[in-house]
Amino acid sequence: MTSSFSSASSSSSSKPWIYDVFLSIRGEDTRKNFTDHLYFTLKDAGINTFRDDNELRRGEDISTELLQAIQKSRISVIVLSRNYANSRWCLEELVKIMECRRSCRQLVFPIFYDVDPSDVRKQTGSFAEAFARHEERFVLQKDKGKVATWRMALTEAANLSGWDLRNVADG
């Protein structure tokens, strides 16, 4: 894993990247375990990694700083966990990441943390429950397009080659 990150960051030295890696996580699901280990392992390997350390702010729009961090990252690692889709903030991050994948040729690697990749792809299980709540809320706000955009981004991310940690000891 380290060699692909190192070669990606060194070959892009002429690009406007500020970060080698942007970590997209649902903090309450993985912050105190898997993503802390991943973050510090990347940092110890000399990989400049962005992770939003602030708790998610309810009802606020995703910050400009966070959107810029995504855009200025060479690689995004999306840790898709059971409650990832519950967070509008995470879903907005994901939309921006997938846009950067298309427009800036950003590399995107999904990690399926304690979730079945097909649940993410098809939005079943906990993802179906989260989207039912989002659809109910956004129907009232007359903004169903936002939910459709989130669904497409989630499907696109789940279709990428990634790591399914359910098959690895303790994730």
Side-chain angles (χ1 to χ4, degrees):
M1 196 162 161
T2 304
S3 63
S4 65
F5 287 121
S6 298
S7 64
S9 64
S10 64
S11 67
S12 65
S13 59
S14 64
K15 299 282 186 185
W17 314 124
I18 294 173
Y19 301 101
D20 296 313
V21 175
F22 178 89
L23 282 179
S24 178
I25 65 168
R26 175 70 168 145
E28 67 187 40
D29 285 357
T30 66
R31 178 172 316 225
K32 299 291 184 208
N33 49 45
F34 176 74
T35 54
D36 271 353
H37 295 296
L38 177 60
Y39 175 75
F40 288 112
T41 299
L42 291 170
K43 280 189 59 130
D44 289 347
I47 297 167
N48 187 15
T49 304
F50 182 93
R51 173 184 70 173
D52 184 16
D53 288 325
N54 298 322
E55 289 299 314
L56 298 179
R57 300 148 213 57
R58 292 187 183 273
E60 290 186 26
D61 291 331
I62 190 168
S63 75
T64 303
E65 177 186 349
L66 197 57
L67 292 173
Q68 288 176 348
I70 294 167
Q71 193 165 351
K72 297 290 185 178
S73 297
R74 175 68 183 119
I75 298 166
S76 281
V77 174
I78 308 161
V79 181
L80 296 159
S81 57
R82 286 186 181 178
N83 294 309
Y84 188 92
N86 287 333
S87 168
R88 293 176 300 155
W89 192 284
C90 287
L91 294 169
E92 288 293 329
E93 275 184 17
L94 182 62
V95 168
K96 182 64 174 178
I97 288 167
M98 299 318 289
E99 286 173 5
C100 289
R101 179 178 179 267
R102 290 185 298 275
S103 65
C104 307
R105 299 175 49 90
Q106 184 179 87
L107 299 174
V108 177
F109 298 107
I111 296 175
F112 301 94
Y113 183 84
D114 201 25
V115 294
D116 187 321
S118 69
D119 282 346
V120 179
R121 187 176 305 108
K122 298 173 185 173
Q123 285 114 51
T124 56
S126 64
F127 289 83
E129 295 166 13
F131 274 101
R133 286 188 296 277
H134 292 312
E135 286 171 345
E136 182 178 303
R137 179 168 183 234
F138 282 100
V139 164
L140 296 174
Q141 294 179 2
K142 297 184 182 356
D143 193 4
K144 289 192 272 185
K146 183 174 283 294
V147 176
T149 301
W150 292 343
R151 283 186 179 277
M152 288 187 309
L154 203 53
T155 300
E156 185 179 353
N159 282 332
L160 298 173
S161 180
W163 293 274
D164 182 354
L165 298 188
R166 293 172 309 143
N167 300 322
V168 179
D170 293 328

